[in-house]
Amino acid sequence: MKLNVLLLSVAITLTACANNPISHLKVGQQVDFALLQDQYSNPFPHDDNMEMLVFTNSMESSGHVREVLHVIAPDCYETGRLVYVADVSGMPSLITRLIAVPKMRGYSFPIWLDYEGEATEALPVKEDQISLVTVKDGNILSIDFVAGKEDLMTQLTALCGYAKEQVAQR
């Protein structure tokens, strides 16, 4: 009898979870990244400065973001106008701690990490695309998606400009 009650309660819980899909953030709603830390374990300080949030859900798209971040003006992400967020919650914690985060420390830009998946679960995503969320005073103004490095470059250089060494090469 106790086993039947236990199974029934588990079934009800699973059904309730399945019937309550995650609601994605929409224009007008507020983003909250108080739980995030960068690859050096610094807390997220950019709530007031953030203008654009970049988020991906695939390795290929993440590679495009990293390539573009190397060529835009660093003050854009150093001041928090541009924020790159990565959800590492699906990665085994041992891999995250021993391989992924040490590799990220070699990048010249901050990556704000969501270790639990809670801060990023409601971010809007499209398969193999890069989410660009325009933010003012913590509120979402617009949500766009770009499919590749060139489109991302266009968007981010419009906001940030090129790094000085990139301008000299042009």
Side-chain angles (χ1 to χ4, degrees):
M1 180 69 171
K2 288 183 181 181
L3 180 60
N4 289 341
V5 172
L6 177 63
L7 290 174
L8 180 61
S9 67
V10 169
I12 290 171
T13 302
L14 291 175
T15 302
C17 291
N19 289 331
N20 292 321
I22 295 170
S23 173
H24 289 291
L25 290 171
K26 295 177 178 44
V27 171
Q29 292 182 308
Q30 198 161 35
V31 294
D32 180 14
F33 294 137
L35 300 175
L36 298 183
Q37 296 180 345
D38 68 6
Q39 65 264 47
Y40 300 100
S41 300
N42 296 316
F44 187 78
H46 300 303
D47 290 325
D48 296 335
N49 300 343
M50 187 172 25
E51 294 178 29
M52 171 115 14
L53 163 70
V54 178
F55 181 69
T56 65
N57 66 345
S58 76
M59 293 298 290
E60 182 179 355
S61 296
S62 294
H64 294 318
V65 172
R66 287 190 306 271
E67 287 180 49
V68 171
L69 287 178
H70 284 294
V71 299
I72 64 165
D75 67 309
C76 198
Y77 49 76
E78 289 169 355
T79 60
R81 289 179 45 223
L82 176 67
V83 173
Y84 176 35
V85 177
D87 177 6
V88 294
S89 65
M91 196 179 299
S93 61
L94 190 62
I95 301 295
T96 303
R97 279 194 332 260
L98 297 178
I99 298 172
V101 172
K103 181 177 181 180
M104 290 176 196
R105 289 182 183 138
Y107 300 146
S108 60
F109 49 85
I111 301 176
W112 297 96
L113 303 172
D114 183 1
Y115 289 98
E116 304 300 322
E118 294 173 9
T120 57
E121 72 181 346
L123 289 176
V125 294
K126 285 188 178 178
E127 186 80 26
D128 294 327
Q129 292 194 18
I130 301 163
S131 302
L132 299 177
V133 180
T134 306
V135 179
K136 181 172 173 108
D137 298 324
N139 295 310
I140 298 174
L141 298 180
S142 67
I143 301 167
D144 295 300
F145 302 94
V146 294
K149 185 170 54 173
E150 293 78 23
D151 291 337
L152 180 65
M153 180 76 76
T154 300
Q155 293 283 331
L156 296 190
T157 55
L159 174 68
C160 302
Y162 288 98
K164 289 179 184 175
E165 55 273 3
Q166 295 297 318
V167 173
Q169 293 176 5
R170 293 193 177 274

